[in-house]
Amino acid sequence: MADASKLKAKRPGRGNLGSPPGPDEVATSLNAPEIAPAPIEPVSSPVPATSTEPTETPYVRRDGRSARKTHRTLAFATRVTPEFDNEIRDIAEREGLKLVEVLENAVAAYKKQQGY
């Protein structure tokens, strides 16, 4: 049989959390205004001056959520290279078109060229 004599005996009132602290013991930070910390600036490493490699502009995906509704309901997704994505988005931005309109125009031009 197990020996329970080494276990601590519960004292009265110790089994629960006890009484809450009084008003003078509570932190006053809850009354202070909420201030967000300043954003941390990323630390960039210096580029060595002896680098002879050509610098490429980083790939930045553009936000398409601001485009107007087209009432097109069928989803069409494919994987493309970052260069193709940049090129098609440049064309759409320059012409004031949506991506789908650029693709539709490309298909129409292809069909015209192929004689469909």
Side-chain angles (χ1 to χ4, degrees):
M1 193 154 163
D3 183 18
S5 63
K6 295 181 181 177
L7 296 176
K8 288 185 179 180
K10 283 190 177 182
R11 296 184 201 161
R14 300 274 294 182
N16 58 17
L17 295 176
S19 61
D24 55 334
E25 298 173 8
V26 177
T28 58
S29 63
L30 297 175
N31 298 331
E34 196 171 312
I35 301 172
I40 299 172
E41 295 293 326
V43 179
S44 60
S45 61
V47 178
T50 60
S51 176
T52 58
E53 296 178 17
T55 58
E56 294 182 17
T57 56
Y59 174 73
V60 178
R61 183 162 175 100
R62 297 178 189 144
D63 183 17
R65 291 178 287 180
S66 60
R68 62 192 185 277
K69 288 186 178 182
T70 64
H71 302 291
R72 293 173 176 90
T73 57
L74 184 64
F76 177 78
T78 185
R79 302 246 180 216
V80 297
T81 64
E83 294 81 19
F84 179 82
D85 185 71
N86 268 337
E87 191 172 4
I88 197 167
R89 288 178 191 274
D90 284 342
I91 292 169
E93 187 176 312
R94 187 173 44 248
E95 300 294 325
L97 300 172
K98 291 186 278 322
L99 294 177
V100 65
E101 293 170 330
V102 174
L103 290 174
E104 289 170 346
N105 292 344
V107 168
Y110 179 81
K111 287 170 68 174
K112 183 177 180 182
Q113 181 187 18
Q114 295 297 323
Y116 286 105

